[in-house]
Amino acid sequence: MSFDGMFTHAMVNELNQNLSGGRISKIQQPFANELILTVRSNRKNRQLLLSAHPNYARVQITDQPFANPAKPSTFVMSLRKYITSAIVQDFRQLNNDRVVMIDLSAKNELGDIHEYTLITEIMARHSNIFLVSKETGKIVDLIKRVSPENNSYRGLLPGDDYKLPPAQNKINPFETSETGKGLSASDLRAKFEGIGLDTSKELADFIEAGHNLADFTELYQNQIHPNAAKSNDKNKLGFFPISFNSTTTEVTAYPSLGELLDNFYLDKARLDRIEQQTKSITHRLDIILKKDKSKIKKLNQQLKKTDVMSKYNLYGELLTTYMSQIKHGSSSITLTNYYNNEEVTIKLNPEYSPSMNAQSYYKKYRKLQNSIPHINEQLEITTNEVNYLESVLASLEYVDIEDVDGIVEELISSGYIKKKRKNARKKRKKKIGENFQTTNGIEITVGKNNLENDQLTMKLAQKNHYWFHVKNIPGSHVILKTSTPDEDSITQAATIAAYYSKARDSSKVPVDYVQIKHIRKPNGAKPGFVIFEGQKTILVDPDRKLVESLKEN
């Protein structure tokens, strides 16, 4: 199901239980569409995520780490001015719509108390976050400003009167005596507010089984069971506040809605944030890749043309051998190929002498012969560059947001992008790779970019350590730091290698493993490229839960 009004209702209840009465101690905007409020409640700091993302808009408590940008946005500056240290009075939902309102009480510099409402509207690409003054009803600031010519319904600029989104004129399922009996799933969606597609299907089945709408809404009030499930019809993850049956097969339970959303959006949000940070870089690499692939196609066409090379050499030999039989001014001649006694017809230039015609074919033969080493060299260089760039782009699919800087640094050192001028700052010593530990206590280190892969494999690992990498697919180098690995440790290291690769979402992934002493790096090879021999291969599934459990804190 989507983040519909029913899910919003359950989320508001969870937020009130955990954050109501708390104090806002920190305000961040780590990404363009996302706001993080650190709320101190019940002697504990909790992160409240408000997202106006066009695809992943939501409100939740999150445990995911977020970096604080060096320069705060205008919106964050406004929020810090008005609601830093504000008390969270209440979380409210607009009817059963996807609009969450947070009532706040804050003191200004003079100690006067002012009331505000922080409103998150979850409306796909029109999602937005507003700070509204309760006293004036005006917008103090908002995360997405929209000029009047682009929005005729309501003002979306600071100082405009806050106006609610257009009403749907549907019935709030939590405030009705209607039973819903006799209504199909589509009828339920059309009549009642905040009921998404999957929720309507479950509700229709629930009512058909002898229950009514009131029984269903009571479950939302009292029996929340957060879980992630695979859908029968689309085989994709969904999240459900109660345990659904008819549209799900594989269900994973979570202790809270916040943890459910953290896991559900983990890869989606991570990839989107990485895309935001690296959009210009990936665009440049895509252009280079397109040129390289076109070049490879042309080089292969040139190489194919050399197939006639041996024929030109043969023609030169035959014309030289039978030169006395060639009449000057002839346009062709048929001669016997003394290698297989077959007749061969050879085209001639009438303006050339017999000797010049023979030399012409020898010249064509030598030209093609001399071109082969150059073509093969260019093919190797260009193919290696394509493989390298594809490995860099693939790494952006499985690294964490904090690892992007390392990939950018790698591309700068490789000459693919220019280094931006920044104010001189003391560089922090970077940790190489990410550490894990098998259930039997053996340390594992994973490279998060090609520079780290090279350092781990060629410099830091011992010769008797074991190296793991997905077979013929871009991925991280994984080092199992032992000379005598047990079967469980081999499987776990291979699982980590499969997880940190382009095959993360596949099953039965082949992973090669071999001791470091059998690996070498060719001179001039791109970062991360190595060759090896004597490897073994194991099939594993990239199990996220296993990988997370092995990660060192």
Side-chain angles (χ1 to χ4, degrees), residues 459-497:
K459 294 181 180 179
L460 301 179
Q462 296 179 17
K463 295 295 182 183
N464 59 356
H465 288 167
Y466 276 79
W467 177 88
F468 291 74
H469 193 282
V470 285
K471 190 179 188 70
N472 300 326
I473 299 173
S476 291
H477 292 201
V478 175
I479 309 298
L480 180 63
K481 298 182 177 181
T482 180
S483 59
T484 55
D486 56 275
E487 288 187 13
D488 287 342
S489 295
I490 289 173
T491 301
Q492 289 163 17
T495 300
I496 292 172

Side-chain angles (χ1 to χ4, degrees), residues 31-33 53-55 270-288 392-393 396 401 404-405 407-408 411 416-417 420:
F31 302 100
N33 300 310
H53 192 283
N55 298 318
R270 176 183 58 81
L271 289 173
D272 181 76
R273 290 163 185 157
I274 288 173
E275 183 181 355
Q276 287 180 43
Q277 284 199 338
T278 62
K279 195 171 184 178
S280 62
I281 295 172
T282 54
H283 177 67
R284 175 168 173 74
L285 297 188
D286 284 337
I287 290 173
I288 297 172
V392 172
L393 290 172
L396 292 173
I401 190 71
V404 171
D405 285 346
I407 294 174
V408 172
L411 291 170
Y416 287 100
I417 58 176
K420 292 182 179 179

Side-chain angles (χ1 to χ4, degrees), residues 157-413:
L157 292 172
D160 288 334
D161 291 327
Y162 175 73
K163 187 177 179 181
L164 290 170
Q168 295 182 336
N169 298 318
K170 294 182 181 181
I171 299 171
N172 185 341
F174 291 94
E175 297 177 358
T176 181
S177 59
E178 295 198 29
T179 63
K181 291 186 181 296
L183 298 178
S184 66
S186 59
D187 292 336
L188 290 168
R189 291 197 305 277
K191 187 169 187 176
F192 297 103
E193 184 179 30
I195 295 181
L197 180 63
D198 291 321
T199 305
S200 67
K201 291 178 182 178
E202 291 297 336
L203 177 54
D205 288 348
F206 188 74
I207 292 173
E208 191 177 343
H211 303 284
N212 58 41
L213 181 60
D215 298 329
F216 193 71
T217 55
E218 186 179 350
L219 290 172
Y220 271 82
Q221 300 280 46
N222 305 313
Q223 297 184 34
I224 300 300
H225 300 293
N227 59 75
K230 286 189 176 180
S231 170
N232 286 334
D233 52 354
K234 295 182 180 178
N235 194 33
K236 67 177 184 178
L237 282 174
F239 42 82
F240 303 87
I242 64 173
S243 298
F244 285 73
N245 299 310
S246 66
T247 61
T248 63
T249 52
E250 186 180 321
V251 178
T252 305
Y254 293 92
S256 70
L257 296 174
E259 290 184 51
L260 164 63
L261 294 184
D262 272 348
N263 281 273
F264 181 75
Y265 284 114
L266 187 62
D267 279 336
K268 294 180 176 65
R270 176 183 58 81
L271 289 173
D272 181 76
R273 290 163 185 157
I274 288 173
E275 183 181 355
Q276 287 180 43
Q277 284 199 338
T278 62
K279 195 171 184 178
S280 62
I281 295 172
T282 54
H283 177 67
R284 175 168 173 74
L285 297 188
D286 284 337
I287 290 173
I288 297 172
L289 268 174
K290 187 176 180 180
K291 289 180 179 178
D292 281 350
K293 288 179 178 179
S294 176
K295 184 178 179 181
I296 288 173
K297 185 177 180 180
K298 290 177 181 177
L299 288 169
N300 280 322
Q301 289 172 348
Q302 291 176 18
L303 196 61
K304 192 173 183 180
K305 289 180 180 178
T306 63
D307 292 345
V308 299
M309 184 176 67
S310 57
K311 185 170 68 173
Y312 290 158
N313 188 45
L314 173 65
Y315 288 175
E317 283 186 25
L318 295 178
L319 291 176
T320 301
T321 303
Y322 299 109
M323 195 171 293
S324 59
Q325 300 180 24
I326 305 171
K327 294 181 180 179
H328 188 79
S330 298
S331 59
S332 67
I333 188 171
T334 301
L335 301 172
T336 302
N337 180 353
Y338 41 73
Y339 291 111
N340 55 18
N341 293 322
E342 292 181 357
E343 297 295 307
V344 178
T345 299
I346 303 172
K347 288 185 178 181
L348 301 173
N349 188 332
E351 296 180 2
Y352 287 0
S353 66
S355 175
M356 288 173 66
N357 271 297
Q359 291 303 315
S360 175
Y361 277 111
Y362 277 132
K363 186 176 180 180
K364 289 180 180 179
Y365 163 73
R366 285 192 295 271
K367 184 177 179 180
L368 290 175
Q369 186 183 45
N370 292 335
S371 72
I372 290 176
H374 174 73
I375 294 172
N376 284 331
E377 181 186 14
Q378 289 300 309
L379 263 177
E380 183 179 4
I381 292 171
T382 311
T383 302
N384 287 341
E385 182 171 66
V386 166
N387 292 336
Y388 169 69
L389 294 178
E390 287 182 340
S391 76
V392 172
L393 290 172
S395 68
L396 292 173
E397 297 180 16
Y398 57 80
V399 299
D400 295 324
I401 190 71
E402 58 268 22
D403 300 314
V404 171
D405 285 346
I407 294 174
V408 172
E409 190 177 302
E410 173 190 334
L411 291 170
I412 290 171
S413 66

